[in-house]
Amino acid sequence: MTLITNNITLDLVAIIATFLVGIIVYFKWQLSYWDRLGVPSLNPTLVFGDFKNYIFAKCSLGEQFKELYDQFKSKGYKHGGVFVGPKPFYVPIDPEIVQHIMQKDFHHFMNHGNYFDENADPLSGHLFNLEDSKWKNMRVKLTPTFTSGKIKMMFQTLADCTRGLDEIMYNSALNHAPADIKDILGRFTTDIIGSIAFGIECNSLKNPDAEFRKYGRRVFEVGIIDRIKIICILALPDSVLRLLKLKFTKSDVENFFMNAIRDTVNYREKNNIYRKDFMHLLLQLKNRGSVTDDEKVTDDKDNVKEKALTLNELSAQAFVFFLAGFETSSTTMTWALYELATNQDVQEKLRNEINNVLSRHDNKLTYEAMMEMTYMEKVIHETLRKYPPLPILTRKCNKDYTIPNTCIKLRRGTTVAIPVLGLHTDPEYYSNPEKFDPEHFSEENVKSRPGFTWLPFGDGPRICIGLRFGMLQSKVGLTAILKNYKVTLSNKTKFPVTLDPKSFITTAKDGIWLDVKKLD
Ligand code: HEM
């Protein structure tokens, strides 16, 4: 049977050709989206849009967005529109527009717009992904777990984990063996977050093959299938993703974390265990509906309140504390040590501050001592400027929005990509942006640049809830290393150091290796 001509082969060719022409017409029409709206765009290509280099793993996602930022900026545009495949992303360039989106007009841009499915993928129902009133309610519930009082209460756990760190650095110095600092600090923060969020002694500093470390690494491994999933998530509408039942959490990772959390919850509830950690506060939220300043996980009548967290909700929040807490802080410390090894004068100045402050605190790591280290704060801020762990941030427009000082209307459903790395390396805001200079964060320099040009923790109501904890964890790790050891770059480090195009956070492709010398 034939359809169009008398020849089935010709029919097939005609159908395929019509289909291809249809796709090309659709892509072409789609790629004129920003021009039709009056937003400047660049030179998107069919199929890849503006992301050819990223899709072919020639650069990281952050670098790709920085390149686009630089192009818009060099043409004097305050904003621009780009395409991942056929999907349009709005990119604000002017910090004033960034401020409107993240803060002033937050009600239009409340959500990150990440694809997630609480039912098919229970660990994905966490604070970072939640939307609208579900996000708001969860944020209100979790905020009391991150106050300075609560974090101070957990300080000793952080300080205790530095013993294992010191042992590794000592052995590295003794044996003149270069330290794989990214791996060591990944194990350090895994031990801290594992203990504080899950109440589990992970021992990954002592045993690099510990299960928590193994699964922690698995979460951030991006294989070919994960890469395809990321591109699908960036390029396809949510309705299609839901139809495909796309699941982001790997099954072995899900099983491991769900079991670990279930076991801890059961053990603590059965034996009335109290520990000064996030898990205790999450258990209070599960059984009482709110965080209270006491050692109990249930109220006096053992009543479970209606608005309490379910076990799945608790698990997803513990998982995001782990996910968001260990890799961000360990990469921050890794980059800081890389820069300190390259800039010995800055390392010396920081060590002087550490010694001076600790001498006033009996040479002990205390919460108060950490709060006194102002140069340390500048060093970490500068590290987060050059190497923001999340180099872009997203927001989804949830009601039509008129861009300030224009008549351009962003449609509901548009994704906004805030080009964090682009802003952080813009010479208009940071003189000599390639130079690692903690004085970029002197009081005078901070005052002289506009707001919303330093965004490693995001900003507005959706700002990182673990900011204080992340800063403290990084300060403690750097103090523990630098007070006893001098670090220099090992020739085992591959130069030039490049960013890993496969990772969605800012990390060195081939690791960073340091030579370590014990100080008297
Ligand atoms: C140096 C360390 C860290 C960095 C650079 C960092 C960065 C960020 C960024 C950029 C965001 C998105 C903010 C936005 O969209 O405006 C975020 C959100 C978040 N972070 Fe962090 N983070 C760090 C440490 C931590 C720690 C230690 C925890 C928990 C223990 C944590 C938990 C979270 C959570 C739960 C969110 C979602 C907040 C929400 O959507 O309401 N982070 N973080």
Side-chain angles (χ1 to χ4, degrees):
M1 191 185 82
T2 55
L3 290 171
I4 309 165
T5 66
N6 292 330
N7 183 319
I8 189 141
T9 317
L10 277 182
D11 277 2
L12 270 177
V13 170
I15 289 167
I16 292 170
T18 313
F19 180 68
L20 285 178
V21 169
I23 288 189
I24 291 171
V25 170
Y26 165 73
F27 266 84
K28 281 223 165 218
W29 178 78
Q30 185 62 11
L31 292 185
S32 66
Y33 178 81
W34 291 119
D35 298 337
R36 281 181 275 129
L37 224 63
V39 173
S41 68
L42 299 165
N43 297 308
T45 57
L46 278 185
V47 184
F48 306 114
D50 294 285
F51 284 74
K52 201 167 170 189
N53 287 340
Y54 172 69
I55 289 170
F56 284 103
K58 285 196 186 139
C59 66
S60 68
L61 192 59
E63 286 170 310
Q64 178 80 82
F65 265 103
K66 174 184 155 44
E67 193 191 307
L68 300 169
Y69 174 96
D70 289 346
Q71 285 188 51
F72 285 121
K73 181 85 187 197
S74 69
K75 292 181 172 146
Y77 297 138
K78 286 178 183 283
H79 62 180
V82 298
F83 297 90
V84 180
K87 186 166 165 174
F89 281 69
Y90 175 74
V91 185
I93 303 294
D94 181 353
E96 217 182 299
I97 305 183
V98 175
Q99 180 173 17
H100 272 278
I101 289 170
M102 298 185 95
Q103 189 186 55
K104 290 186 179 165
D105 301 319
F106 178 72
H107 55 286
H108 285 265
F109 300 97
M110 197 184 252
N111 304 321
H112 283 131
N114 292 344
Y115 164 76
F116 74 107
D117 183 340
E118 274 172 283
N119 299 320
D121 187 359
L123 288 181
S124 70
H126 53 65
L127 190 68
F128 198 94
N129 285 345
L130 289 176
E131 303 198 328
D132 306 316
S133 58
K134 274 198 172 176
W135 166 75
K136 217 171 184 177
N137 291 337
M138 189 62 81
R139 179 95 191 192
V140 168
K141 282 201 173 102
L142 292 179
T143 297
T145 63
F146 286 93
T147 60
S148 35
K150 293 282 185 300
I151 285 172
K152 196 171 167 186
M153 170 185 107
M154 298 171 196
F155 184 80
Q156 200 47 45
T157 309
L158 260 82
D160 289 347
C161 289
T162 60
R163 267 186 243 126
L165 185 59
D166 189 69
E167 238 170 68
I168 294 184
M169 297 305 279
Y170 181 79
N171 285 331
S172 174
L174 190 72
N175 301 319
H176 302 288
D180 178 355
I181 201 67
K182 185 173 165 227
D183 177 65
I184 295 168
L185 291 169
R187 283 151 61 193
F188 172 59
T189 52
T190 298
D191 281 1
I192 293 176
I193 301 280
S195 175
I196 279 182
F198 291 82
I200 290 173
E201 299 304 330
C202 307
N203 277 325
S204 68
L205 276 168
K206 287 216 167 76
N207 170 16
D209 300 319
E211 281 210 301
F212 250 83
R213 176 66 183 147
K214 182 176 139 193
Y215 285 102
R217 262 201 311 250
R218 277 280 290 146
V219 174
F220 287 93
E221 267 169 22
V222 183
I224 182 81
I225 301 283
D226 306 300
R227 220 177 150 68
I228 293 170
K229 274 190 199 170
I230 293 175
I231 293 166
C232 284
I233 286 170
L234 285 173
L236 298 176
D238 280 8
S239 49
V240 178
L241 297 170
R242 253 174 244 286
L243 215 68
L244 295 173
K245 286 214 174 302
L246 206 70
K247 190 172 160 172
F248 208 52
T249 315
K250 299 168 181 110
S251 299
D252 57 336
V253 170
E254 178 183 306
N255 288 340
F256 173 75
F257 281 102
M258 290 296 266
N259 287 337
I261 294 163
R262 199 174 300 121
D263 291 349
T264 306
V265 167
N266 287 342
Y267 179 72
R268 286 204 188 184
E269 285 182 348
K270 227 183 232 161
N271 301 293
N272 246 327
I273 306 284
Y274 168 62
R275 275 184 55 152
K276 294 176 180 175
D277 58 18
F278 284 130
M279 182 50 86
H280 178 71
L281 306 172
L282 288 174
L283 274 166
Q284 288 191 331
L285 286 174
K286 172 177 168 288
N287 294 332
R288 304 167 78 165
S290 62
V291 166
T292 327
D293 271 332
D294 65 23
E295 301 186 0
K296 288 188 268 178
V297 292
T298 51
D299 69 9
D300 289 338
K301 292 175 191 141
D302 278 358
N303 282 335
V304 173
K305 293 270 180 340
E306 241 178 55
K307 291 210 168 135
L309 300 191
T310 63
L311 183 61
N312 273 2
E313 284 173 328
L314 177 150
S315 305
Q317 310 324 310
F319 183 61
V320 78
F321 292 173
F322 183 77
L323 206 76
F326 99 87
E327 187 83 351
T328 47
S329 301
S330 68
T331 47
T332 303
M333 284 184 272
T334 301
W335 286 119
L337 288 173
Y338 165 71
E339 289 289 354
L340 293 170
T342 313
N343 300 281
Q344 287 293 323
D345 53 330
V346 181
Q347 186 179 151
E348 214 37 55
K349 190 169 172 187
L350 180 56
R351 186 172 298 108
N352 284 341
E353 177 180 80
I354 291 173
N355 289 336
N356 284 337
V357 170
L358 289 186
S359 70
R360 293 198 291 273
H361 291 267
D362 237 1
N363 272 323
K364 288 198 177 109
L365 289 188
T366 62
Y367 179 82
E368 288 72 19
M370 295 303 121
M371 293 301 117
E372 277 178 36
M373 293 185 188
T374 49
Y375 191 63
M376 170 75 87
E377 189 124 331
K378 283 188 197 168
V379 167
I380 298 177
H381 283 191
E382 175 67 348
T383 306
L384 287 166
R385 176 189 73 80
K386 269 194 90 177
Y387 311 97
L390 295 186
I392 56 152
L393 293 172
T394 57
R395 295 290 189 267
K396 193 162 199 168
C397 177
N398 58 14
K399 319 185 223 178
D400 287 0
Y401 176 70
T402 307
I403 298 163
N405 306 320
T406 72
C407 348
I408 301 167
K409 213 174 234 180
L410 278 190
R411 304 242 170 83
R412 178 173 179 260
T414 308
T415 308
V416 177
I418 292 146
V420 176
L421 187 64
L423 287 159
H424 284 193
T425 50
D426 187 329
E428 188 183 338
Y429 312 126
Y430 298 95
S431 58
N432 206 353
E434 289 313 309
K435 184 169 183 244
F436 182 82
D437 180 5
E439 290 316 313
H440 280 134
F441 290 88
S442 69
E443 214 174 299
E444 193 192 348
N445 282 332
V446 171
K447 264 193 203 146
S448 71
R449 63 178 164 258
F452 290 77
T453 48
W454 185 74
L455 298 165
F457 295 101
D459 212 324
R462 206 115 202 191
I463 194 170
C464 173
I465 200 170
L467 184 160
R468 282 201 200 101
F469 191 83
M471 282 297 293
L472 187 64
Q473 182 167 239
S474 307
K475 282 183 186 175
V476 168
L478 291 176
T479 302
I481 293 175
L482 293 170
K483 79 182 167 76
N484 292 327
Y485 304 94
K486 176 178 171 171
V487 294
T488 46
L489 272 184
S490 158
N491 54 19
K492 210 173 163 184
T493 305
K494 270 197 191 157
F495 294 103
V497 172
T498 52
L499 298 188
D500 188 350
K502 291 196 194 123
S503 171
F504 49 86
I505 72 164
T506 308
T507 178
K509 187 170 164 222
D510 300 300
I512 307 274
W513 297 80
L514 298 178
D515 290 329
V516 181
K517 187 174 161 225
K518 175 98 177 87
L519 297 165
D520 295 331

